[in-house]
Amino acid sequence: MRRSFYHYVLTLKGPNHLSEEQIFANHVSHDIQFPKHTSDYDELSSYLEMNVNYLTSMDIFDRIYEQYVENNR
């Protein structure tokens, strides 16, 4: 069974904020409105573009999404 993007991102969390990916994951874990059950790129990117201020660049999301796709083949 494929896990949602949200569940994948939670695996990137960490206490030290060492990377952009880790910082993003920590913010996502605290975002109660984040679309938790989807894996759809367009839905996720639209949400991030329209509703959050913790993402400094969509490049971070794109990079993590690519990793997500690779890990869920």
Side-chain angles (χ1 to χ4, degrees):
M1 181 177 180
R2 284 185 67 176
R3 60 185 163 177
S4 70
F5 178 75
Y6 175 79
H7 287 103
Y8 173 74
V9 169
L10 293 183
T11 68
L12 304 175
K13 280 179 42 175
N16 298 328
H17 303 287
L18 297 176
S19 68
E20 291 175 325
E21 290 85 359
Q22 195 177 67
I23 293 168
F24 174 70
N26 288 337
H27 282 294
V28 166
S29 72
H30 297 313
D31 184 349
I32 60 172
Q33 295 181 349
F34 192 88
K36 295 175 177 64
H37 300 291
T38 189
S39 298
D40 182 68
Y41 176 86
D42 293 328
E43 183 179 350
L44 292 163
S45 64
S46 291
Y47 173 78
L48 291 168
E49 288 175 348
M50 304 298 284
N51 297 299
V52 303
N53 62 0
Y54 56 76
L55 186 60
T56 57
S57 169
M58 285 302 287
D59 291 339
I60 299 165
F61 166 69
D62 290 338
R63 189 169 52 243
I64 295 170
Y65 193 84
E66 284 179 28
Q67 294 169 1
Y68 164 72
V69 170
E70 285 295 318
N71 284 310
N72 279 304
R73 285 186 178 206

